[in-house]
Amino acid sequence: MTLKTTDIDKPAIDGITIDCVIFSFNKESLEVLLVQHAQGESVGQWGLLGGWLKKEESADDAAQRILHELTGLENIYLEQLKAFTDPKRVIERRVVTIGYYTLVNREDYNIEASLSVREAKWYKINEIPNLIFDHNEILDFSLLQLRNRVRQAPIGFNLLPEKFTLLQLMHLYEEILGIELDKSNFRRKILHMKLLVALDEKQQDVSHRAAKLYKFDDEIYKKLTEKGFNFEF
Amino acid sequence: MTLKTTDIDKPAIDGITIDCVIFSFNKESLEVLLVQHAQGESVGQWGLLGGWLKKEESADDAAQRILHELTGLENIYLEQLKAFTDPKRVIERRVVTIGYYTLVNREDYNIEASLSVREAKWYKINEIPNLIFDHNEILDFSLLQLRNRVRQAPIGFNLLPEKFTLLQLMHLYEEILGIELDKSNFRRKILHMKLLVALDEKQQDVSHRAAKLYKFDDEIYKKLTEKGFNFEF
DNA sequence: CCAAAAGTGTTGTTGATACACCCATGT
DNA sequence: ACATGGGTGTATCAACAACACTTTTGG
């Protein structure tokens, strides 16, 4: 776009924020981390984790920074959703937000003390309360996006611990896609992709036959990803 | 996100723009409309069609407005790509742009006189020159997005005239996806979807057997779209 | 009659689906 | 011994790829 000084004397925008939908997978259910803000006009209401985009950072960097402040994690898997721009999405101000979704492994996760967050809590995907601003819309959009992306690339692995069983993986897909899968057929298909590496380890402390553990292999993924593959189940 | 007055006294952002990748399909090749801006520091350089996001409009509305100003068209098919936020994408200013891509049917299309655009020209997808700012990046991203979306929903129809032949449609998919398709198998698959309505009309003035014309049926699409379908070819 | 594109038919292979069944382990 | 989940095998069916073939039309 052409820049003309006069165009921007009065910016039409009061600011840009980042809002993050943080997904995790816990005991067969997909959950989202919501926070109560400690300051501002929305104290006490639940919403997505968010913050202002700073002048010298990209939106990706801002999202990583905001997530780091809350969780202490670095290099979280995240993807931009889109910009949410309804002029009425925030009253009295013109604030555009850039939505992100991130997939975290619950085991790594650890909420840090934070000035801006009063409380944080995991909510099951079908038990989401009313959220501030357009955060319900952002969340709904992120679910659609997640369901789509999960069919095209093995991003779901980011929700699991490093070592996992095939059935855990299957339950993950069932939960995200909202479908039921056949154990036998799922095994065949996922193993046939050659994307998993079988470990010489088994589950511990389970009250039934211990399942073999697998891990996701980045190397193999990179090789396969060039041809593109299909995660339709 | 929490709003605090002090946070936004000095907005970190000089403004938000909209940039549109305009696709069309012409004689078996996918093309993009590029413009030369008539004003500002980038006079004479090719770039995407763009403009400022105004205070009282959503990004979708802004994109429709900007497209209307250039083409005279209303209700163009468009989809947001994402926000492009690299702090260095524009020198000396902090301008975030929201990318869009749109699919237009070349027959409807008609460039209007415009104050801000000096010239507009269609470029084949593999003959794109160097563009201003990060517009090459936006264009590359839009191509990826188009290739993805075209596999999941019949959006490609927006690039064709209302009545078309099966082979035209096949060539469209070949061009977008960069693959070769088998005539017979393509026919079977697309007709099997029941998405097309055969018309009682044939091609005119062709120097070979005239092909039957089809149209895309919105009604049927809506019925089918609920179950979701696969456009992998 | 020939070129060029439209349109049909056939066949082998692959992969999804729907089951039934056996295995290992803790209580 | 039985409950619980882990893991294997198989028969059927639908979809796809490859390719050969026939039809229509203008020149």
Side-chain angles (χ1 to χ4, degrees), chain B residues 38-65:
Chain B
Q39 323 166 322
E41 65 223 37
S42 50
V43 167
Q45 292 184 71
W46 292 99
L48 300 173
L49 178 67
W52 294 99
L53 175 65
K54 293 185 179 174
K55 179 143 187 154
E56 70 291 342
E57 69 187 350
S58 69
D60 284 9
D61 290 345
Q64 289 283 2
R65 170 177 58 77

Short mmCIF file of all heavy atoms in Angstrom, two decimals, chain B residues 38-65:
data_model
loop_
_atom_site.label_atom_id
_atom_site.label_comp_id
_atom_site.label_asym_id
_atom_site.label_seq_id
_atom_site.Cartn_x
_atom_site.Cartn_y
_atom_site.Cartn_z
N ALA B 38 -0.35 5.33 -7.91
CA ALA B 38 -0.19 6.62 -8.56
C ALA B 38 0.44 7.66 -7.63
O ALA B 38 0.87 8.70 -8.06
CB ALA B 38 -1.55 7.13 -9.05
N GLN B 39 0.45 7.36 -6.34
CA GLN B 39 0.96 8.36 -5.39
C GLN B 39 1.92 7.70 -4.41
O GLN B 39 2.02 6.49 -4.34
CB GLN B 39 -0.19 8.95 -4.56
CG GLN B 39 -1.48 9.15 -5.31
CD GLN B 39 -2.63 9.40 -4.34
OE1 GLN B 39 -2.72 8.80 -3.28
NE2 GLN B 39 -3.51 10.31 -4.73
N GLY B 40 2.57 8.56 -3.63
CA GLY B 40 3.39 8.04 -2.54
C GLY B 40 4.77 7.64 -2.99
O GLY B 40 5.16 7.82 -4.15
N GLU B 41 5.50 7.08 -2.06
CA GLU B 41 6.91 6.81 -2.31
C GLU B 41 7.15 5.63 -3.24
O GLU B 41 8.25 5.38 -3.69
CB GLU B 41 7.66 6.58 -0.99
CG GLU B 41 7.22 5.34 -0.25
CD GLU B 41 7.08 5.61 1.24
OE1 GLU B 41 6.63 6.72 1.60
OE2 GLU B 41 7.43 4.73 2.03
N SER B 42 6.06 4.88 -3.52
CA SER B 42 6.26 3.68 -4.32
C SER B 42 5.72 3.82 -5.74
O SER B 42 5.41 2.84 -6.39
CB SER B 42 5.60 2.49 -3.61
OG SER B 42 4.27 2.84 -3.27
N VAL B 43 5.61 5.06 -6.20
CA VAL B 43 5.13 5.30 -7.56
C VAL B 43 5.94 4.48 -8.56
O VAL B 43 7.16 4.41 -8.48
CB VAL B 43 5.26 6.79 -7.93
CG1 VAL B 43 5.06 7.00 -9.43
CG2 VAL B 43 4.24 7.61 -7.17
N GLY B 44 5.23 3.86 -9.47
CA GLY B 44 5.93 3.15 -10.53
C GLY B 44 6.30 1.73 -10.20
O GLY B 44 6.73 0.99 -11.07
N GLN B 45 6.11 1.33 -8.95
CA GLN B 45 6.41 -0.06 -8.61
C GLN B 45 5.14 -0.88 -8.54
O GLN B 45 4.09 -0.39 -8.15
CB GLN B 45 7.12 -0.12 -7.25
CG GLN B 45 8.50 0.47 -7.27
CD GLN B 45 9.17 0.30 -5.93
OE1 GLN B 45 9.55 -0.81 -5.55
NE2 GLN B 45 9.27 1.38 -5.20
N TRP B 46 5.28 -2.14 -8.91
CA TRP B 46 4.12 -3.03 -8.86
C TRP B 46 3.90 -3.57 -7.45
O TRP B 46 4.84 -3.83 -6.72
CB TRP B 46 4.31 -4.20 -9.83
CG TRP B 46 4.31 -3.77 -11.26
CD1 TRP B 46 5.39 -3.56 -12.05
CD2 TRP B 46 3.15 -3.49 -12.06
NE1 TRP B 46 4.99 -3.17 -13.31
CE2 TRP B 46 3.62 -3.13 -13.34
CE3 TRP B 46 1.78 -3.52 -11.82
CZ2 TRP B 46 2.76 -2.78 -14.37
CZ3 TRP B 46 0.92 -3.18 -12.86
CH2 TRP B 46 1.41 -2.81 -14.11
N GLY B 47 2.63 -3.71 -7.15
CA GLY B 47 2.28 -4.27 -5.84
C GLY B 47 0.86 -4.78 -5.87
O GLY B 47 0.19 -4.74 -6.90
N LEU B 48 0.42 -5.28 -4.74
CA LEU B 48 -0.96 -5.72 -4.63
C LEU B 48 -1.87 -4.52 -4.48
O LEU B 48 -1.44 -3.45 -4.03
CB LEU B 48 -1.12 -6.63 -3.40
CG LEU B 48 -0.28 -7.90 -3.40
CD1 LEU B 48 -0.40 -8.60 -2.05
CD2 LEU B 48 -0.70 -8.82 -4.53
N LEU B 49 -3.11 -4.69 -4.82
CA LEU B 49 -4.10 -3.65 -4.58
C LEU B 49 -4.33 -3.54 -3.07
O LEU B 49 -4.53 -4.55 -2.40
CB LEU B 49 -5.42 -4.03 -5.27
CG LEU B 49 -6.56 -3.05 -5.06
CD1 LEU B 49 -6.26 -1.72 -5.74
CD2 LEU B 49 -7.87 -3.64 -5.55
N GLY B 50 -4.27 -2.31 -2.58
CA GLY B 50 -4.43 -2.16 -1.13
C GLY B 50 -5.01 -0.82 -0.76
O GLY B 50 -5.33 0.00 -1.61
N GLY B 51 -5.19 -0.63 0.54
CA GLY B 51 -5.72 0.63 1.04
C GLY B 51 -5.76 0.61 2.55
O GLY B 51 -5.55 -0.43 3.17
N TRP B 52 -6.05 1.77 3.13
CA TRP B 52 -6.10 1.85 4.59
C TRP B 52 -7.39 1.30 5.15
O TRP B 52 -8.47 1.48 4.56
CB TRP B 52 -5.94 3.30 5.04
CG TRP B 52 -4.60 3.86 4.72
CD1 TRP B 52 -4.28 4.65 3.65
CD2 TRP B 52 -3.39 3.64 5.44
NE1 TRP B 52 -2.94 4.95 3.67
CE2 TRP B 52 -2.36 4.35 4.76
CE3 TRP B 52 -3.06 2.94 6.61
CZ2 TRP B 52 -1.03 4.35 5.19
CZ3 TRP B 52 -1.75 2.96 7.04
CH2 TRP B 52 -0.74 3.65 6.34
N LEU B 53 -7.28 0.67 6.27
CA LEU B 53 -8.47 0.26 7.01
C LEU B 53 -9.02 1.49 7.72
O LEU B 53 -8.31 2.16 8.47
CB LEU B 53 -8.10 -0.81 8.05
CG LEU B 53 -9.20 -1.27 9.00
CD1 LEU B 53 -10.32 -1.97 8.25
CD2 LEU B 53 -8.64 -2.17 10.09
N LYS B 54 -10.31 1.77 7.48
CA LYS B 54 -10.89 2.95 8.12
C LYS B 54 -11.42 2.61 9.51
O LYS B 54 -11.67 1.44 9.82
CB LYS B 54 -12.03 3.50 7.26
CG LYS B 54 -11.53 4.06 5.94
CD LYS B 54 -12.66 4.71 5.16
CE LYS B 54 -12.13 5.29 3.85
NZ LYS B 54 -13.22 5.80 3.01
N LYS B 55 -11.61 3.68 10.28
CA LYS B 55 -11.96 3.49 11.69
C LYS B 55 -13.25 2.70 11.88
O LYS B 55 -13.36 1.89 12.80
CB LYS B 55 -12.08 4.85 12.36
CG LYS B 55 -12.47 4.76 13.82
CD LYS B 55 -11.78 5.80 14.68
CE LYS B 55 -12.07 5.57 16.15
NZ LYS B 55 -11.03 6.11 17.01
N GLU B 56 -14.22 2.97 11.02
CA GLU B 56 -15.55 2.39 11.30
C GLU B 56 -15.91 1.16 10.47
O GLU B 56 -17.05 0.74 10.44
CB GLU B 56 -16.62 3.48 11.11
CG GLU B 56 -16.83 3.91 9.69
CD GLU B 56 -15.66 4.69 9.09
OE1 GLU B 56 -14.80 5.20 9.86
OE2 GLU B 56 -15.59 4.76 7.86
N GLU B 57 -14.91 0.58 9.82
CA GLU B 57 -15.24 -0.59 9.00
C GLU B 57 -14.42 -1.81 9.42
O GLU B 57 -13.32 -1.69 9.94
CB GLU B 57 -15.00 -0.28 7.50
CG GLU B 57 -13.54 -0.11 7.15
CD GLU B 57 -13.29 0.35 5.72
OE1 GLU B 57 -14.24 0.38 4.91
OE2 GLU B 57 -12.13 0.70 5.43
N SER B 58 -14.99 -2.97 9.17
CA SER B 58 -14.25 -4.21 9.41
C SER B 58 -13.29 -4.43 8.25
O SER B 58 -13.42 -3.81 7.20
CB SER B 58 -15.22 -5.38 9.51
OG SER B 58 -15.79 -5.64 8.25
N ALA B 59 -12.37 -5.35 8.45
CA ALA B 59 -11.40 -5.62 7.39
C ALA B 59 -12.10 -6.19 6.16
O ALA B 59 -11.75 -5.85 5.02
CB ALA B 59 -10.32 -6.57 7.90
N ASP B 60 -13.09 -7.05 6.37
CA ASP B 60 -13.83 -7.60 5.24
C ASP B 60 -14.49 -6.49 4.43
O ASP B 60 -14.42 -6.47 3.20
CB ASP B 60 -14.93 -8.57 5.73
CG ASP B 60 -14.34 -9.92 6.17
OD1 ASP B 60 -13.10 -10.02 6.24
OD2 ASP B 60 -15.13 -10.84 6.43
N ASP B 61 -15.13 -5.55 5.14
CA ASP B 61 -15.77 -4.43 4.45
C ASP B 61 -14.74 -3.59 3.71
O ASP B 61 -14.98 -3.15 2.58
CB ASP B 61 -16.52 -3.54 5.46
CG ASP B 61 -17.75 -4.23 6.02
OD1 ASP B 61 -18.18 -5.24 5.42
OD2 ASP B 61 -18.28 -3.75 7.04
N ALA B 62 -13.61 -3.35 4.34
CA ALA B 62 -12.56 -2.54 3.72
C ALA B 62 -12.09 -3.22 2.43
O ALA B 62 -11.93 -2.56 1.40
CB ALA B 62 -11.39 -2.36 4.68
N ALA B 63 -11.92 -4.52 2.48
CA ALA B 63 -11.45 -5.25 1.30
C ALA B 63 -12.48 -5.14 0.18
O ALA B 63 -12.14 -4.88 -0.98
CB ALA B 63 -11.18 -6.71 1.65
N GLN B 64 -13.75 -5.32 0.52
CA GLN B 64 -14.80 -5.19 -0.49
C GLN B 64 -14.81 -3.78 -1.08
O GLN B 64 -14.96 -3.60 -2.28
CB GLN B 64 -16.19 -5.50 0.11
CG GLN B 64 -16.43 -6.96 0.47
CD GLN B 64 -16.74 -7.86 -0.74
OE1 GLN B 64 -16.75 -7.42 -1.89
NE2 GLN B 64 -16.98 -9.14 -0.47
N ARG B 65 -14.66 -2.79 -0.22
CA ARG B 65 -14.66 -1.40 -0.68
C ARG B 65 -13.51 -1.15 -1.65
O ARG B 65 -13.69 -0.61 -2.75
CB ARG B 65 -14.52 -0.45 0.52
CG ARG B 65 -14.26 0.99 0.14
CD ARG B 65 -14.18 1.92 1.34
NE ARG B 65 -13.17 1.58 2.34
CZ ARG B 65 -11.85 1.82 2.20
NH1 ARG B 65 -11.39 2.41 1.10
NH2 ARG B 65 -11.01 1.49 3.15
#
